[in-house]
Structures are given as structure tokens and as C-alpha cells.
Amino acid sequence: MHFQEDDIPPYLDGLNEAQLKAVLQTEGPVMIIAGAGSGKTKVLTVRMAHLIRQGADPFSILSLTFTNKAAREMRSRIEKLVGPAARSLWMGTFHSIFARILRMEADRLGYPKNFTIYDTDDSKSLIKTIVKEMGLDDKVYKPSMVLGRISSCKNNLIDPLGYAENTENLLQDKNANRSKFHEVYKAYAERCFRSGAMDFDDILVNMHKLLRDHIDVCNKWQHKFRYIMVDEYQDTNHVQYMITKRLAAVNQNIAVVGDDAQSIYAFRGANIQNILNFSKDYPEVKVFKLEQNYRSTQHIVNAASSVIKHNKKQLEKEVWTANEPGEKIRVVRSITEAEEARFVAQNIFEEKNLNQLPNKAFAVLYRTNSQSRAFEEALRKANIDYRIYGGTSFYQRKEIKDLIAYLRLVINPTDEEALKRIINYPARQIGDTTVNKLVYLAGENHVPVWDIVANVRQYSDMGSAALRVDNFAMMMKSFMSMAQSHNAYDLAMHIARQTTLLKSLYEDKTVEGVSRYENTVELLNGIKEFVEDDESDKEKTLANFLEEVALYTDDPKNQDPERDSVSLMTIHQAKGLEYPHVYVVGLEENLFPSQLSLSSRNELEEERRLFYVAITRAESKLSLTCATSRFRYGNLTPCEPSRFIEEVDSQYLDMNLAGLKREGVHNRFDNSGSSLPNRFERSYTTRASTLLKQVTPPNNSLPPVDPDFVEGDMNLLKVGHKVQHQRFGFGEVKEIEGEGANRKATVFFDALGEKKLVLKFAKMRIL
């Protein structure tokens, strides 16, 4: 339908030309390529309102989204445009809409209409039961791993029979020591069906089966849904693609909205080919490109475009904005992750006070959950409130609390809560019945539970469990003895290994398992950082570390989700959000892009799309940060800046950072040849003559981290001495104060400026 410019209905006001064309094209297949910040939600909602205004039955409109939040927001907007008719739309997530249809048609598949929907915990519990009944090793057939593999099969429409007939699958399982997986999968599917239950993946699989195997049912729903709209089409997996294609087969009025540049969920089964090949599926498709960005400044929009152009697999578009140019993107390189976090916290503090901004104007985005630790600690020390968006604070994560419980028990054996948490973790066949007996005996004898555990052989009531409890007690006693002679890090690492806690986490290769392992390693890195901190005069004892952790976690403000707080989150969780000020942190090779994503072009291109998503979350100011070195497994390891930094067109970057040089922050890229690998150095040579001369004074670079560094005798240190610090490089002593253990030195480092160090902890030598 076409309107003259002077008779456009009010509900279409405010749409730009591309948006208006996409809204008015109601018939036939439509693909709306929506660049970041281009108003796709507005187009979707106005398009549905327009259909209803033009006489379409709202019951005949199907709108599929990926989140309930998106569905609620769109329905609310449509209701403002067309009134109560919006309530009749078939609008919701894939799972909610298809579950609704399956309730009506369940008998065709042999399910009761009131079938149960299993959540993840239900599914894992059933798998655990099956593994036990089959006599399989639950360390090999972990419920999370098995469920993840089953989910992947279902999303690719591979049923148990099809899996068992694929010799390649069986060979992979045999090599991975899980040759019975296909039997577990078969038993799981049979038990779910027998219980009248579907898991989340079954909702999609059974919807596909319903349409594929029952022509009359398929015909009914094809004719019911005259118009189909799919949001975030780039995130659809194979089974979602097959269902929507089948539903749209009769009327062909399917409109998909998405941005291939924001396809970042391959690990969940999303297939970018669905949007890239849409024109092949529907040759008559009308394509509309929403290329005007309303969110970000010109520098941010142009920087994002310059990065994503490095991807070969993409739909052509030119995103632009009429917004002001804005500030250039700051690039900041720090010595360690702790220094990086301190820079971010200090910069947020300055921006807040200078521009009178609330905490909620700021977001810190990182590649992995484990990176949150350093930023949580830095923000707490700066007294800046924050929240982990869509996740759990670092020290509240289960795997962290598990290892912390071991450490607490070593320091304080009477800590009953810590003991109960880990006496059977990892599993050592000390069940709840045994633990309850121990607690009962402790109460009866008026002693701590540990006293019973440590002397369990004296109590005949414990029966055969006594040996297992005694083995646990002997292990804990060895840890307590070790605590007398080893530092906090060496003790914690020994405990993590000896208890097999690290090993069991490492063996879980699911997405959640990898994250839990990374978090635990990051806790160990944090303890090492605590031990190596020569700017704090606090003794490097395990007790002092645990005291700091307790103070971090005891914050009542964390209970209020609506409070004014800085948002910390992974980039995956940031998709769809926007903030005035954004910090994209940890931009180093093997971290971002992830080391796990460098084996193929497809994986690397998804990492680049993830970086594109991160950049385009920023409205007015964007900072990219990285570290020269990070603690990894207790060692300070050199880091190479991410290739993604060099892919940003240099005209949009501020690498000089005038006025931002401060204590503890290294604001320069090293071009000395000593710290940066040749690949990064070579890639910069085309612009080194102009760019790097501005940011790196000659002969003033940080040395590489030296693992064999030998500390000097700090008792001989005097004002005026030239020194070399293991991390901070070369400097000169300006002032010495205090006596004995409290002796401190103020040192001016060539690359960093002034730092005050506690000499008894200082990793430094006199030159």
C-alpha cells in the first residue's frame, strides 16, 4: 500500500524512508537487515500495527522472538498503536508459542495434553539416574556434558536412531571414552516420552515432527498464520529454520529481521547461514536495509564498520549516523589485569564526578565471566556500586565458594558450614546420612563437627563410612600442616589439585563447565596477585585473603536489582543493550579473540562479530583496554594486544590519551621489539611512522616479564638509587619512609610515574 506524503497515518510518523518501506511491504517474503541501533524494534512493532490497521486478523499474525522481554515490549508498543487488538497476536518466544500449539495437538504425537516440561535440572537428574542404572562412570558421563550433547543433536534434528547409525559419531564417542552415549541418549528419550515430558529442545523437535508427519495439522497452522515475523533471525538454529520455513510455505508472507554482523551464538546452535541464504530460499524476497544508526556517535559507528569489513561472510550494508562525531575511541594498555581494572574504576569515578553521571551510565564488557573478579574488586575499592548483569558476582559462584570453603576450613577447622559444603565435594561417598550423623554426634558431645570428623574412628556409630570420613580428615590435616610453611597461593593451588577439584572441572567440556574451570583458575590467579602485591602492607596470609573476600561479598546493596549501579557483563549478555559509556576490556590475543576460536575462519569471524557487538553498545564514549601481562596458573605471562585493535581504522582511535596518564596506568603501545610479537609489530608498520611516534617515547618501553628475576636486598636501598622492578620496569627512588617491616619507598618509574611500594614485599633490585 502506498501513501502520499501528506496523508501518511500518524502511527507511521517518525519512520525514515527505509523503515517506512519495510513497514509497508506486507505481502511476500521480506528480509529486513537491521544494523546496530537502527530501530528494528520500532519497525517490527509498527509493521504489525500497520497490518492490523489494514484489516489483518491479529489472530493470523505470528511473531517469534528469542526473549519474553522482547515479546512483552513489542506487544506493549503495538497496544499503544492499535488498542486491545494487540492482545490477540500470536507473539512470544519460539518455545512459548510452540508449546502452546503442542498443548492442542499433543495427542497426535502420543503425549498427554498436560505434558510436563522438564527444566535443565530435571533433565540432568534423569540423566544422572540413567547413568547410574547403566553402571557407567558418572565422571565420564557427566549430566551437563551428556545433556549438552543431546541438545546439540536435537537442534540438528538427529534422533537417537539416527545418531546410532552414524559411524562417525560412534567413532568420536569411542575415542572420547564415551562409547555408550547413544544408549544413554536413547534411554533418555524413551524415559521422557514414557513420563509424558518434553525438555526445552523437545518442544522444537516435536513441533517440527508435528508439521512434518501430520499433513492435516500442518495445513491447519499454515493457513491460520497468514503473516509470520521472526526477530533476530541470525540467531535461529536448524530446527527453528525448518519450522518457520514449513509454516510459511503456503502464504509466503514471512518477514525476518536481523543483522548477520551480530550473529554471536554459534555455541548455542545458531546458524548464520539461515540469514545469509534467505534470498536463496525465497528468490522473490524484498530486501530492506536499515543502515542509519540512531544510537552512537560517528566515531563509534565508523570504527565498528571498519572492523566488521574484515569478515568475508556478510551481507553488504553501509551503516551510518547523523549523530555528532563525538570523542575518539580511547585505547589504554595497562601492566596487569589489576592495573587495567584500577584504570577503569578510576576513569568511571572521574567521568561520574566531572559530568554528574549516574552509575547506570557505565558498562564494562568482557569476553569471559572469570574476568569480572578484578573489576569487581577495583570498583569496590573505589566505592562504586556495580552489579553483574544476567549473572552471579564472582565470589558468589558455586565453584568459587567450593574452593573458598576448603580454604576457610584450613584456617578455621570449626567452620561447620564450610565443612558440610565440601566433605563430599568432589564426591567421596560421604552422603547426607553420614553428615547428619556427624552433626548429631557433635551436638551430643558439645564439640565442633570437625572434632568428630578428626577422630571419627572413636565412634562405632559411623560404621563403614568411618574410613571415608577419616581419609577426608587426613587430607584436611595435611592441608592445615602445609599452611604453616607455604604462602596462600601455593597452598590454594595444592588444595585445588589434591582434591581433584581442578581436574573434575577441567574434564567438563560444556560451555558452563569451561566457564566454571576458568573461574576457579581466576580465583587462583587472584590469590597469586594478592601474594605478589607489593603496594599493600597487609601480610600475605591465607587468613588475610579470606578476610578481604568476606568483606567483598558482605554487601546488602547487592540484593537490590533496581539500584543505580555500573553494569558488568560478558559481551554475549550485552547484546540488545546500550550505555552512554562502555569499556571493552581484556583485548588481548588468546583472550579476545578467544584461544578456542582461532582454529578456523568461521570461528574467528564470529569473534569479530562479538567485538562488533561490543563496540556498538556504546552511545557516546568507548574505551578499549588490554594488559601487558596477566597471571596464568601463578605465572605472570606476557600478553599480545588483540588483532581487533589493529583492525579499527586508526583515524577513530585516541592512542595518545593526553591528560589520562596516571599512576598505575600504562597508556602506550610498545614498539621496541622486546615485548610485542612480530605479527602485531608488522601489522602496525604501515601507520607506525605517524601513529606510534605519538604514543611511545623512544627507549621508554616496559621490559618483558622475566620469570628468573632475582630480588635485591631492600635493606640497602637509598634515595637516588636506580632500580628495576619485576613488573614496573626501571625507576629511581625518590623517598623512603618508615622503619623495619613498615618501610616504604616512593619510586618514579620511567613508564608509569610514581608508585609507593612496601619494601618487604617489593619485587625489585638495585642497579
Side-chain angles (χ1 to χ4, degrees):
M1 177 168 292
H2 300 282
F3 296 98
Q4 297 298 323
E5 191 169 331
D6 56 353
D7 66 353
I8 292 178
Y11 66 89
L12 297 178
D13 282 349
L15 296 175
N16 64 34
E17 184 179 355
Q19 292 172 333
L20 182 60
K21 287 180 178 178
V23 166
L24 298 181
Q25 182 63 49
T26 58
E27 305 302 310
V30 171
M31 179 164 64
I32 303 170
I33 303 171
S38 62
K40 75 174 180 68
T41 303
K42 183 176 184 179
V43 169
L44 267 174
T45 54
V46 175
R47 192 173 191 273
M48 281 183 270
H50 178 63
L51 281 168
I52 295 171
R53 290 272 190 163
Q54 297 305 307
D57 182 355
F59 285 101
S60 71
I61 300 173
L62 171 64
S63 176
L64 297 169
T65 67
F66 274 86
T67 67
N68 288 310
K69 179 183 176 183
R72 285 194 300 269
E73 182 180 342
M74 284 197 283
R75 191 185 296 275
S76 174
R77 290 196 196 182
I78 297 168
E79 192 164 353
K80 290 177 182 176
L81 297 175
V82 299
R87 299 171 194 170
S88 301
L89 291 164
W90 278 69
M91 176 181 287
T93 64
F94 284 86
H95 289 87
S96 66
I97 293 294
F98 297 160
R100 182 178 170 187
I101 293 174
L102 287 169
R103 292 282 181 205
M104 302 178 191
E105 311 286 357
D107 59 313
R108 304 299 292 267
L109 299 173
Y111 283 88
K113 290 188 182 295
N114 61 340
F115 62 82
T116 300
I117 297 177
Y118 278 175
D119 63 17
T120 301
D121 288 341
D122 294 327
S123 296
K124 287 182 179 178
S125 177
L126 176 55
I127 290 169
K128 189 175 181 180
T129 300
I130 292 169
V131 168
K132 185 176 181 179
E133 290 174 354
M134 293 176 67
L136 301 174
D137 186 347
D138 59 4
K139 292 185 176 64
V140 174
Y141 293 89
K142 290 186 175 181
S144 55
M145 181 281 292
V146 173
L147 182 60
R149 196 160 175 80
I150 289 174
S151 177
S152 179
C153 290
K154 289 180 178 180
N155 285 330
N156 287 286
L157 296 175
I158 302 171
D159 62 15
L161 180 61
Y163 188 94
E165 291 176 346
N166 187 309
T167 54
E168 186 177 336
N169 289 337
L170 299 182
L171 182 61
Q172 284 181 1
D173 287 340
K174 184 178 180 181
N175 292 336
N177 196 31
R178 54 169 185 250
S179 58
K180 298 290 185 182
F181 170 80
H182 66 286
E183 294 182 26
V184 177
Y185 183 13
K186 181 182 178 184
Y188 174 77
E190 289 175 348
R191 293 278 277 272
C192 285
F193 183 75
R194 201 160 67 226
S195 300
M198 299 184 198
D199 64 20
F200 290 129
D201 295 311
D202 285 330
I203 292 172
L204 301 180
V205 170
N206 286 330
M207 182 66 192
H208 174 263
K209 191 181 298 184
L210 183 71
L211 300 178
R212 182 195 65 193
D213 299 344
H214 300 275
I215 303 301
D216 57 330
V217 176
C218 180
N219 187 59
K220 178 175 80 174
W221 292 101
Q222 285 175 332
H223 283 84
K224 174 176 178 55
F225 296 132
R226 185 180 170 193
Y227 298 98
I228 298 174
M229 273 170 271
V230 185
D231 191 15
E232 304 287 9
Y233 191 67
Q234 78 279 351
D235 294 334
T236 54
N237 60 28
H238 180 62
V239 64
Q240 289 165 333
Y241 161 77
M242 293 296 292
I243 294 169
T244 53
K245 186 177 180 183
R246 195 177 292 271
L247 282 173
V250 170
N251 292 302
Q252 296 277 301
N253 293 330
I254 180 170
V256 301
V257 182
D259 181 7
D260 59 297
Q262 298 186 67
S263 179
I264 59 174
Y265 293 117
F267 68 95
R268 293 183 189 166
N271 186 354
I272 192 174
Q273 294 302 322
N274 293 346
I275 193 168
L276 295 179
N277 294 337
F278 191 78
S279 296
K280 294 179 182 178
D281 291 333
Y282 301 95
E284 303 300 315
V285 65
K286 297 285 194 302
V287 179
F288 301 96
K289 298 179 181 180
L290 309 184
E291 297 172 308
Q292 182 174 0
N293 179 296
Y294 291 93
R295 176 188 300 154
S296 308
T297 63
Q298 288 179 22
H299 282 312
I300 292 171
V301 169
N302 294 341
S305 296
S306 71
V307 167
I308 204 63
K309 282 180 179 176
H310 287 80
N311 273 8
K312 292 189 180 300
K313 288 186 177 180
Q314 59 178 302
L315 299 170
E316 186 180 339
K317 58 183 172 296
E318 289 291 335
V319 180
W320 60 279
T321 183
N323 294 342
E324 62 182 9
E327 295 184 12
K328 288 188 175 183
I329 297 166
R330 297 173 298 182
V331 181
V332 181
R333 195 176 188 203
S334 306
I335 299 290
T336 66
E337 66 264 47
E339 301 282 358
E340 177 189 38
R342 281 197 282 270
F343 161 75
V344 170
Q346 186 172 350
N347 194 249
I348 289 174
F349 180 83
E350 291 173 358
E351 292 283 355
K352 269 168 51 73
N353 288 285
L354 186 64
N355 299 305
Q356 299 299 302
L357 295 170
N359 290 324
K360 63 184 178 183
F362 300 87
V364 181
L365 310 183
Y366 35 78
R367 179 63 182 83
T368 66
N369 274 308
S370 62
Q371 290 171 259
S372 77
R373 179 193 62 82
F375 296 95
E376 289 187 60
E377 293 179 7
L379 289 168
R380 281 193 189 100
K381 288 175 181 175
N383 198 29
I384 298 172
D385 193 18
Y386 71 90
R387 67 168 178 147
I388 304 293
Y389 186 95
T392 307
S393 180
F394 184 82
Y395 288 106
Q396 294 296 332
R397 293 167 191 162
K398 179 188 179 299
E399 60 276 14
I400 301 304
K401 295 180 84 169
D402 289 336
L403 182 50
I404 290 289
Y406 274 103
L407 305 182
R408 281 169 48 185
L409 196 61
V410 168
I411 298 303
N412 176 19
T414 63
D415 187 336
E416 182 176 328
E417 292 306 308
L419 188 150
K420 288 192 293 187
R421 184 179 186 94
I422 49 89
I423 192 170
N424 195 41
Y425 183 78
R428 47 180 69 92
Q429 294 184 296
I430 302 176
D432 291 344
T433 302
T434 300
V435 173
N436 290 337
K437 279 186 181 179
L438 294 170
V439 173
Y440 173 77
L441 287 170
E444 193 175 56
N445 290 277
H446 305 289
V447 295
V449 179
W450 169 253
D451 285 12
I452 307 299
V453 171
N455 303 285
V456 69
R457 289 183 178 274
Q458 297 178 15
Y459 300 91
S460 57
D461 292 356
M462 296 307 300
S464 61
L467 178 60
R468 294 189 291 274
V469 174
D470 189 52
N471 287 339
F472 169 75
M474 293 297 291
M475 180 182 69
M476 292 306 305
K477 287 175 183 176
S478 73
F479 297 158
M480 293 169 192
S481 175
M482 185 177 177
Q484 306 303 314
S485 56
H486 289 70
N487 68 37
Y489 171 75
D490 291 339
L491 175 62
M493 178 59 84
H494 176 75
I495 290 172
R497 287 173 172 162
Q498 192 69 22
T499 59
T500 71
L501 203 155
L502 260 186
K503 182 174 182 289
S504 62
L505 290 172
Y506 178 77
E507 290 172 345
D508 185 352
K509 297 302 183 184
T510 63
V511 174
E512 296 80 6
V514 170
S515 179
R516 285 192 289 268
Y517 175 74
E518 289 176 345
N519 289 339
T520 304
V521 169
E522 181 58 24
L523 173 61
L524 294 167
N525 289 340
I527 299 173
K528 180 69 170 181
E529 191 177 283
F530 171 80
V531 169
E532 297 283 326
D533 185 5
D534 50 8
E535 295 180 72
S536 168
D537 56 4
K538 185 171 284 190
E539 291 293 334
K540 314 305 179 186
T541 64
L542 186 56
N544 280 341
F545 175 78
L546 292 175
E547 179 184 298
E548 285 196 2
V549 170
L551 293 174
Y552 289 152
T553 54
D554 184 25
D555 187 351
K557 290 185 296 184
N558 291 339
Q559 306 305 316
D560 178 14
E562 300 302 319
R563 68 191 186 278
D564 178 34
S565 53
V566 174
S567 293
L568 273 61
M569 70 191 84
T570 64
I571 302 165
H572 283 100
Q573 290 164 329
K575 189 167 177 289
L577 304 175
E578 54 193 52
Y579 298 88
H581 292 240
V582 170
Y583 301 82
V584 184
V585 301
L587 276 162
E588 297 137 34
E589 287 293 296
N590 298 323
L591 180 55
F592 193 17
S594 166
Q595 187 173 12
L596 302 174
S597 304
L598 299 177
S599 59
S600 71
R601 177 181 294 279
N602 286 342
E603 291 172 337
L604 181 59
E605 291 203 349
E606 173 139 337
E607 287 288 291
R608 189 174 288 112
R609 293 195 294 271
L610 193 59
F611 183 50
Y612 175 85
V613 167
I615 291 175
T616 54
R617 298 312 94 198
E619 295 173 352
S620 57
K621 287 190 179 181
L622 175 65
S623 298
L624 310 178
T625 72
C626 59
T628 302
S629 56
R630 286 182 185 270
F631 278 108
R632 288 181 182 160
Y633 303 101
N635 296 317
L636 200 59
T637 307
C639 300
E640 175 188 2
S642 170
R643 69 190 70 191
F644 295 151
I645 296 177
E646 68 186 75
E647 289 176 359
V648 180
D649 194 317
S650 61
Q651 65 179 305
Y652 309 121
L653 297 178
D654 176 4
M655 300 176 77
N656 194 24
L657 299 171
L660 282 178
K661 183 175 178 181
R662 55 175 57 81
E663 179 181 285
V665 179
H666 179 45
N667 295 327
R668 294 179 283 267
F669 279 89
D670 182 4
N671 67 344
S672 66
S674 61
S675 293
L676 298 185
N678 289 335
R679 186 203 62 75
F680 189 81
E681 210 175 20
R682 281 199 304 272
S683 66
Y684 261 92
T685 55
T686 56
R687 60 183 193 249
S689 60
T690 56
L691 180 62
L692 288 179
K693 281 180 182 177
Q694 299 173 16
V695 298
T696 310
N699 303 318
N700 194 27
S701 59
L702 286 172
V705 176
D706 181 3
D708 301 317
F709 187 91
V710 179
E711 300 164 31
D713 184 354
M714 291 298 98
N715 291 319
L716 304 177
L717 193 69
K718 295 180 181 178
V719 173
H721 271 160
K722 302 290 185 182
V723 294
Q724 182 184 12
H725 190 278
Q726 186 181 22
R727 285 186 293 163
F728 306 147
F730 299 96
E732 181 180 343
V733 179
K734 295 298 184 184
E735 183 183 352
I736 295 177
E737 58 185 272
E739 297 292 337
N742 297 320
R743 202 160 174 252
K744 298 178 182 178
T746 300
V747 183
F748 185 87
F749 289 101
D750 297 342
L752 296 171
E754 276 192 3
K755 296 184 81 68
K756 185 172 285 189
L757 307 178
V758 180
L759 290 180
K760 68 175 177 178
F761 300 130
K763 303 293 186 292
M764 194 161 60
R765 62 187 173 199
I766 304 169
L767 299 177

